[in-house]
Amino acid sequence: MRHLLGCRDLSYDDALAILDLAEQMQQVQFRQVKKLPALRGRTIVNAFFEDSTRTRTSFEIAGKWLSADTINVSARGSSVSKGESLRDTMLTLDAMGVDAFVIRHPSSGAAAQVAGWVGAHIINAGDGQHEHPTQALLDAYSMRKHWRETGQGGFEGKRVAIVGDLLHSRVVRSNVYLLQTLGATPVLVAPATLLPAGVDTWGVEITTDFDEVLEGLDIAMMLRVQRERMAGGFFPTPREYSDAYGLTFERLSRLKQGAAICHPGPMNRGVEISSAAADAVNSLVLDQVASGVAVRMSVLYTLLGSEEGIRL
Ligand code: NCD
């Protein structure tokens, strides 16, 4: 695998190999000395042209634990704010001998575009409303772990609802592709105004009524209402949104035994998710964050690692 641009073209075998390797990588997290020599001498640049806390930090930690040199570049504080084009910025960084770029950009398709310009490996860390493949991989990792720990088997036949602002989300696309590849059933839940155009061609279940599907779910994945991307009124008020689409205290109690809650973060508590749900025993939110580092280590190693194998 040369780049990780999306989950759409990720094969079943590649996806599974990333998840399995992440399991080995996660062992590093529990060690006192969190360092593997696997990517020593490699240089990874996190080029973030959009705000991020967890994704950027998680990639940086993942690179560091694999002994790579990781450097962060953000739009603010770089020549982008002086009007330099994305192409010139990326070619400039590439010319310094970078081995991989982790890119976040507000434009859909930006990561694929950069892959055509530079020689380095590209990992898409979120491009506009398109894809965010490592998020879907870490979600899958967390879900798989939860199902194993609770004796519920694998992905086959599992109903995973992705609920909320699907229109502005890149997490939903990556999750739909990956869940379908792994054999689970994605169920999309959103008000009609927040459903992406062409969603009926994705081959998934779609409903505007959360309550109708709630009790049969294995996972309720709540997505953030992305107000920074909204130009107009997509729903009446946050209160009404929460009443219809939030994982409220009342809905939490109606989830079936063994069902779990996911959220990629950052959360709007009281809007798409109540504090009761975010902090519930069956909430995987912090486990998702922990898994994120292991999954990103796995992805970095898969793209950049030597043939010698890893010494854990
Ligand atoms: C998501 C993103 O930026 O796409 N967050 C994340 O990466 N953990 C979702 C969001 O911003 O709501």
Side-chain angles (χ1 to χ4, degrees):
M1 210 196 308
R2 173 140 190 79
H3 306 297
L4 180 63
L5 302 176
C7 288
R8 187 178 203 153
D9 20 68
L10 200 61
S11 70
Y12 177 80
D13 288 346
D14 283 345
L16 221 55
I18 290 171
L19 298 182
D20 288 345
L21 180 60
E23 256 167 46
Q24 295 184 56
M25 295 297 184
Q26 187 140 50
Q27 295 170 21
V28 176
Q29 220 159 359
F30 307 118
R31 289 186 183 177
Q32 199 172 17
V33 179
K34 300 180 178 63
K35 221 39 159 183
L36 294 176
L39 297 184
R40 199 172 45 196
R42 301 305 201 97
T43 304
I44 302 167
V45 169
N46 290 322
F48 276 60
F49 299 96
E50 208 184 72
D51 294 344
S52 164
T53 310
R54 71 214 76 220
T55 306
R56 193 185 58 69
T57 313
S58 173
F59 267 111
E60 188 175 354
I61 293 175
K64 289 199 153 84
W65 286 0
L66 289 170
S67 304
D69 292 305
T70 55
I71 288 111
N72 295 313
V73 175
S74 59
R76 236 168 302 160
S78 77
S79 293
V80 176
S81 61
K82 297 181 188 167
E84 187 174 59
S85 71
L86 176 64
R87 186 166 184 273
D88 284 334
T89 303
M90 297 312 294
L91 285 174
T92 301
L93 294 168
D94 194 49
M96 295 179 193
V98 171
D99 294 295
F101 288 110
V102 178
I103 297 179
R104 170 164 290 194
H105 198 278
S107 303
S108 303
Q113 216 170 10
V114 173
W117 294 330
V118 301
H121 298 272
I122 303 295
I123 298 165
N124 181 5
D127 60 333
Q129 297 164 25
H130 177 226
E131 281 226 43
H132 190 357
T134 57
Q135 180 66 46
L137 283 160
L138 75 86
D139 293 339
Y141 183 92
S142 261
M143 289 180 218
R144 183 171 83 158
K145 187 158 157 269
H146 168 73
W147 291 329
R148 279 188 184 161
E149 284 169 0
T150 52
Q152 297 189 74
F155 288 91
E156 210 57 49
K158 293 289 193 303
R159 289 175 63 76
V160 179
I162 309 175
V163 188
D165 184 359
L166 310 185
L167 178 65
H168 300 98
S169 175
R170 47 202 171 210
V171 175
V172 67
R173 278 176 191 72
S174 289
N175 258 294
V176 164
Y177 295 136
L178 186 63
L179 288 167
Q180 286 175 331
T181 301
L182 295 172
T185 305
V187 182
L188 303 190
V189 185
T193 49
L194 290 175
L195 281 169
V199 72
D200 45 319
T201 63
W202 293 8
V204 292
E205 280 183 42
I206 305 163
T207 179
T208 54
D209 186 352
F210 193 12
D211 294 307
E212 176 189 276
V213 293
L214 187 69
E215 279 145 36
L217 299 177
D218 294 288
I219 298 284
M221 182 186 292
M222 310 309 296
L223 296 188
R224 186 172 67 89
V225 174
Q226 306 203 5
R227 286 186 223 195
E228 78 279 14
R229 295 185 201 273
M230 291 185 187
F234 287 87
F235 51 84
T237 63
R239 172 70 198 272
E240 280 177 72
Y241 178 87
S242 171
D243 283 350
Y245 295 99
L247 191 54
T248 56
F249 183 74
E250 188 273 324
R251 286 198 180 96
L252 174 68
S253 67
R254 280 165 48 213
L255 285 173
K256 73 177 182 193
Q257 180 80 21
I261 299 149
C262 289
H263 193 305
M267 294 187 280
N268 289 312
R269 286 177 185 251
V271 184
E272 73 270 4
I273 190 165
S274 60
S275 277
D279 304 328
V281 280
N282 54 334
S283 163
L284 303 182
V285 172
L286 290 178
D287 186 73
Q288 288 173 273
V289 178
S291 304
V293 178
V295 165
R296 286 165 179 136
M297 287 172 80
S298 171
V299 167
L300 290 173
Y301 185 78
T302 301
L303 299 186
L304 291 170
S306 69
E307 251 69 78
E308 294 159 34
I310 17 162
R311 272 162 289 152
L312 292 171

